Structure formats: C-alpha cells, structure tokens
C-alpha cells in the first residue's frame, strides 16, 4: 500500500530517493518523506503532506539534503491521518533510529503501551513509530547490534512489514526486514538500492535480490548480507530483471491508463505466446486430477474469475466457484478432494488474496497463482504460479493485466478441457486459433475509440449508470462498472439483466444511462428485451456487442469464440470510463482513495 526506497553509495541520496518514490507514487500518495545522512553526521528527516511534489519542493528536489545514504517513503494511510505528523520516516524517541515501513503492525497498540511503560513517547498515531521505538529498545537493552535488535522486533511483530532502517550508531549501513509486504535490493557499481518494487530502481540497475519473508539484511555501498531471524547468514543469488525501463514510463501517452489500454494486444499476445507452442498449450504444470476449482481474488481480478467460471465450465465441464478473497478467508471454506484454488492477482501482494492462498494451503488444497508481478508474494507462496506477461501496470485501474489474466485463464480452461476430453482435437485447435486471433481483434476494437470518446463527452455529467448482461456478458458488466466507478467516480451498477425487473428497475427513470453487453448468442435476445424495458421507462440505452439488437448507440466488436468474448466487450467500457474521467478533469491514473496494490486488509 505504501512505497519505500533506500540508497547507499557514492551519489547524493536525496535526488535518487525522490526519483524512486515518484515511480512508486501509485502505491500510495497522501504524504511522503526522506531520511538522509552525510557520512557519520546526524540523520536528517524531511516530510510533507500531500503528493510527492510537495516534498520535492520542500527539499529543492533533494538538493537541500546532503548525504550518500538515505531512505524514503510515499504513504497510503492505514493508521493515522494522512498528514505530516504521520508521514514516514518515523524516528525513535531519542531520534537514533529512523524507519520507513510498508504494511500493518497488527499488535502495535499493545507494543506501544509496553514501550510507554519503558519511558518511550510517541509523536504520531502510526504503527511505524512503534517499530522505531521497539528496535531502539532492543538495541539499547541487548547491546548486540542492529541486526539482533531487528530480529527481536521481528519476533514480537504480528502483521505485515517491509522496513528500511537507519541507525545513528551505524553510519554507512542500511538495514531491512520483510514479512508479507514486497521488497527488493538492487545492486549497482559501488552503490546499492532498496525498493518496494523494481519500477523505482530500474534506471539504475537490473540486478535485484528478492527479499524473502522473515529475512533481514544489512546493506552497505559494497553489497548486501541477508540473515534469517536467528541471525544466520542466508546466501542469495541476484536475478536479472528484463523489464524495459521505457515500459515503466508513459511512452508518449497522456495517462498510463490509456497507454495500458493500448498495450492490451501486446499483453495478451505475450502471455499467450509464452504458453502456446506449435498449436499446443504448455503451462509447465500438470492440471490432471483437478475435479473442481475455487477462484479467490479481489476487484477486477475477481471479475476475471467470474468470467473464467463460465469459460471453464463450458469448455471443461469442471465446477468452478468464485469467491471474494476477503470473504473466503473467513468463511471456513469447504475444499473437497481434487479442489484447485486459483488466486488471481496482478500485484501478487493483495493482502486478502495472499491470506486466501494461505488459508487454502492450511486446509490442504492445491494452490495456483495467476500473477503479473515476478517474485511477488502470491507467486512465491502458491504451490504453482502461472505468470501473465502484461509488463508493469502503473495505472491504479487495471486494464492490460486484467486482459492478460483472462487470456491465461482461457488457456487453463482449454488444457482442462483437453485433459477431461470434453474438447475434441478439432475443437481444441479451433479455440487455440481463436485465442491467437484475439490480439488483432483487440486492436480492431480499439479503433472505435473516437465514437466512444464522443459518447463519453455527451454523457460526462451522468450520475447513475447501469450495465446489464447475462452470463459472460454480466461478468463484463462487473468489470465495466468498476472501471467507471474507479476513474470517473460515477455511481454504476452491474446487473444480471434478468434480475433487474425484480426490484431495481424502480431506479430507472428519464435519462438514466443503461449500457447492455450482448455477445452471448444464447441469451442476448433476452437482454435486448430487458433493455427495451428500461428504454420504455425513459432510460438512454447503449449496447456493446457483435450485432445491433436495440435502438441507441451501438459499439460493435468483432466476432470471436463466445467463451472469449469478454476480452473484446470490455474494451469499449474501459475507454468509456477513461474518457469520462478525462472529461471530468480527474486524476485518471491515481483516483482518489485508491492505491494500486491493496496490501492491507
Ligand atoms: C482494479 O482496477 C482495481 N485497481 C482493483 O479492484 C484491483 O483489481 C484489486 O485490488 C486486485 O488487485 P490485484 O489484482 O493486484 O490482486
């Protein structure tokens, strides 16, 4: 939920920290701060409420702070108001320990009371200040050095953390510790970097170490040493990242969201081509023995699950349940023999989804992650992982990762269908071929953007919208509704078209905007009738589909195999949300109240 960075080396740290935080602002942006140290001089801390630009201004883009060692933080508030007092870095009472933290210390209240009894005081409402004082307490009590003090903290901590720590006593060193929240260490020439994810340090290095759970580390300019919680050294190899630094930029688009909408053909093509080899599908894992599937996910990833439920049940005749991860983890789930729990997550760090994976494993179920971020927590904790190859997704509202997840899910459905012999060889080949045509059909669909943009301009002041469909079309409506809510703040409801008449249609009045999705031939005539029921009550109707079945604006999409139609029907809805947001002058890439990765409950 927050972004942390660190630097130690030969360059001035502050400008590098600010540059890294800029790349991480999508993880949270209600306040920011840096701690910098010049040699053995005292640590300097500067913090600011609001977006990173305020801190940059306060530190003259970092030039006002001298020192080649530092840590930084951009925040999405979880404990305490998003103000300067609660901004990170936080220091111990005597200022000798400075900490930046991503995560939640669940037992911070009891620890704070204990520390108060030992004479510590607290200037903020945050759990992070408790971490700084707790580490300081152990450092002073045990006199066994920084790593030991951090280990003691880790033994007491409940919850999630990725922390970077500076000590007045230990110049030339940064310390790290991690449980559940993401963190990497980058290695340069005579300099080292720390970050929540690679976007922050790509310009400097591609050599990275993924910090594992319950691991701590000491970082100096000449390298990093990892330890387990008992202080035993852990040898680790670096990985070379092949993410293109340019890909983390906007590439000439005004917003990341529109750039990523147009990257969907490539994201789908890269994902499919990774697994389709000479007309066959090689997932690299066996799916034999899967008798039923439970998908656990949140938000758009959940909508992927709903779509895949229809696709897998149609193609493989395997029962699929789709559960909101935040519900699954507390419902004492029944996971029968042969159940495969599939966790869908772009970031691989969504707290609810990660907890659902752990719950499933605890109950003996096999777990599979469908994840976009290499080395993320869900990827490493699920029994198996299938990566999507959408590349870094920066806009808070997901588009290309969603589409890549769909594509990968279709591959899973086809492999299951082949395993279960519910697909003949001819059918299998036909579906694989249809998938390979999807990227060009996505490109074709995006060519109707100008009509969508004009429609958005006409309806930019809309207040209430319904999106209705049946089957896969209903699942598309869920995603379209979330997009419009997320980036345009328009109250939008996705509704099963057949259910509208059971009460909610009472909300339809003159001028209500109702969008229908009609791609499933077995039901789209019925949805057309439902749309008529709304237009006869004054609604403005528009449709997305392969055939024009209603009066009103029509956004055509190319034909494809119906289990895959969601990949095309969603596109006009993504563009509609984007353009209404732009018309309203909103922050498309960083909508209010949201963050890209929800790593707290
Ligand atoms: C999607 O546009 C939203 N940003 C949000 O619903 C997101 O899909 C959800 O938080 C799940 O994130 P994940 O895929 O990283 O787990």
């Amino acid at each position: 939920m927050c972004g942390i960075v660190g630097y130690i080396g030969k360059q001035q740290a502050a400008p590098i920290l600010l540059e890294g935080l800029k790349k991480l602002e999508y993880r949270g942006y209600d306040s920011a701060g840096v701690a910098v140290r010049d040699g053995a001089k005292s640590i300097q801390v500067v913090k600011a409420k609001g977006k990173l630009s305020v801190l940059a201004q306060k530190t003259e883009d970092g030039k006002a702070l001298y020192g080649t060692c530092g840590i930084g933080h951009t925040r999405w508030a979880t404990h305490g108001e998003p103000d300067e007092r609660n901004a990170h870095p936080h220091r111990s009472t005597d200022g000798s320990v400075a900490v930046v933290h991503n995560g939640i210390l669940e037992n911070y209240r009891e620890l704070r009371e204990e520390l108060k009894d030992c004479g510590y005081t607290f200037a903020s409402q945050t759990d992070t200040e408790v971490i700084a004082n707790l580490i300081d307490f152990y450092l002073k009590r045990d006199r066994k050095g920084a790593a030991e003090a951090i280990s003691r903290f880790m033994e007491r901590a409940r919850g999630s953390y990725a922390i970077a720590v500076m000590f007045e006593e230990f110049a030339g060193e940064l310390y790290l510790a991690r449980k559940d929240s993401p963190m990497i260490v980058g290695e340069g020439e005579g300099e080292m970097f720390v970050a929540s994810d690679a976007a922050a340090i790509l310009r400097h290095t591609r050599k990275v170490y993924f910090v594992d759970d319950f691991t701590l580390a000491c970082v100096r300019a000449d390298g990093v040493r990892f330890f387990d919680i008992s202080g035993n050294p852990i040898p680790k190899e670096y990985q070379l990242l092949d993410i293109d630094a340019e890909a983390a930029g906007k590439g000439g688009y005004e917003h990341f969201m529109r750039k990523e909408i147009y990257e969907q053909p490539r994201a789908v093509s890269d994902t499919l081509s990774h697994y389709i080899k000479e007309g066959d599908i090689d997932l690299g894992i066996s799916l034999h023995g899967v008798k039923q599937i439970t998908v656990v996910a949140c938000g758009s990833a959940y909508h992927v699950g709903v779509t895949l439920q229809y696709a897998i049940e149609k193609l493989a005749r395997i029962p699929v349940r789709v559960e909101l991860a935040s519900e699954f983890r507390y419902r004492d789930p029944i996971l029968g023999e042969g159940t495969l729990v599939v966790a869908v997550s772009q970031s691989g760090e969504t707290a609810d989804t990660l907890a659902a994976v752990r719950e499933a494993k605890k109950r003996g179920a096999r777990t599979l992650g469908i994840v976009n971020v290499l080395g993320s927590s869900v990827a490493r904790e699920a029994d198996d992982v299938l990566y999507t190859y959408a590349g870094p997704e920066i806009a808070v509202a997901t588009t290309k990762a969603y589409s890549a997840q769909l594509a990968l899910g279709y591959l899973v459905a086809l492999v299951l269908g082949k395993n279960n012999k519910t697909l003949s060889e001819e059918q299998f080949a036909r579906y694989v071929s249809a998938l390979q045509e999807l990227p060009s059909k996505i490109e074709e669909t995006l060519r109707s953007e100008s009509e969508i943009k004009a429609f958005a301009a006409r309806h930019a002041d809309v207040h209430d919208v319904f999106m209705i469909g049946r089957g896969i079309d209903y699942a598309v409506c869920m995603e379209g509704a979330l997009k419009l809510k997320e980036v345009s703040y328009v109250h939008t409801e996705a509704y099963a078209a057949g259910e509208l008449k059971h009460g909610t249609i009472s909300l339809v009045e003159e001028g209500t905007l109702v969008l229908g999705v009609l791609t499933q031939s077995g039901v789209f005539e019925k949805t057309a009738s439902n749309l008529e029921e709304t237009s006869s009550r004054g609604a403005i109707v528009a449709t997305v589909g392969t055939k024009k079945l209603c009066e009103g604006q029509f956004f055509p999409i190319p034909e494809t195999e119906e289990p895959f139609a969601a990949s095309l029907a969603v596109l006009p809805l993504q563009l509609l949300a984007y353009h209404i947001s732009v018309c309203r002058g909103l922050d498309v890439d960083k909508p209010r109240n949201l963050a890209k990765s929800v790593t707290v409950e």
Side-chain angles (χ1 to χ4, degrees), residues 212-260:
D212 291 320
D213 263 1
F214 295 110
T215 301
L216 59 145
C218 173
V219 183
R220 294 191 181 119
D222 62 357
V224 55
R225 289 174 295 137
F226 292 96
F227 306 93
D228 66 19
I229 201 166
S230 308
N232 304 310
I234 305 174
K236 272 178 89 67
E237 293 297 316
Y238 64 76
Q239 297 190 35
L240 271 182
L241 283 179
D242 61 2
I243 302 172
D244 173 356
E246 170 61 27
K250 288 185 185 172
Y253 287 87
E254 187 187 354
H255 299 107
F256 278 113
M257 183 177 177
R258 186 160 181 271
K259 170 176 174 282
E260 290 157 4

Side-chain angles (χ1 to χ4, degrees), residues 20-34:
L21 291 177
K22 187 69 188 153
K23 301 285 188 191
L24 297 180
E25 260 201 312
Y26 65 87
R27 301 176 63 85
Y29 36 83
D30 57 45
S31 59
V34 291

Side-chain angles (χ1 to χ4, degrees), residues 576-595:
L576 178 66
Y578 171 78
H579 283 295
I580 289 181
S581 181
V582 170
C583 286
R584 291 187 166 204
L586 300 173
D587 192 341
V588 177
D589 290 332
K590 296 198 285 283
R592 68 185 179 198
N593 307 343
L594 299 179

Side-chain angles (χ1 to χ4, degrees), residues 298-301 345-347 350 396-398 482-483 486 598:
C298 304
S300 293
S345 177
Q346 188 283 129
S347 63
T350 298
V396 166
T398 183
L482 179 59
K483 290 279 101 42
E486 267 193 303
V598 185

Side-chain angles (χ1 to χ4, degrees), residues 105-118 120 122 127 130-131 133-134 138 152-153 155-158:
L105 187 64
E106 292 176 354
N107 57 335
Y108 80 100
R109 288 187 183 83
E110 66 190 77
L111 292 169
R112 184 166 56 191
E113 291 315 305
E114 283 181 33
L115 288 162
K116 281 180 179 173
D117 293 344
C118 298
Y120 284 89
F122 292 85
D127 54 345
V130 172
I131 296 176
N133 278 326
L134 189 59
Y138 288 120
R152 298 290 79 76
F153 149 71
E155 286 165 352
R156 295 296 310 276
R158 277 206 322 274

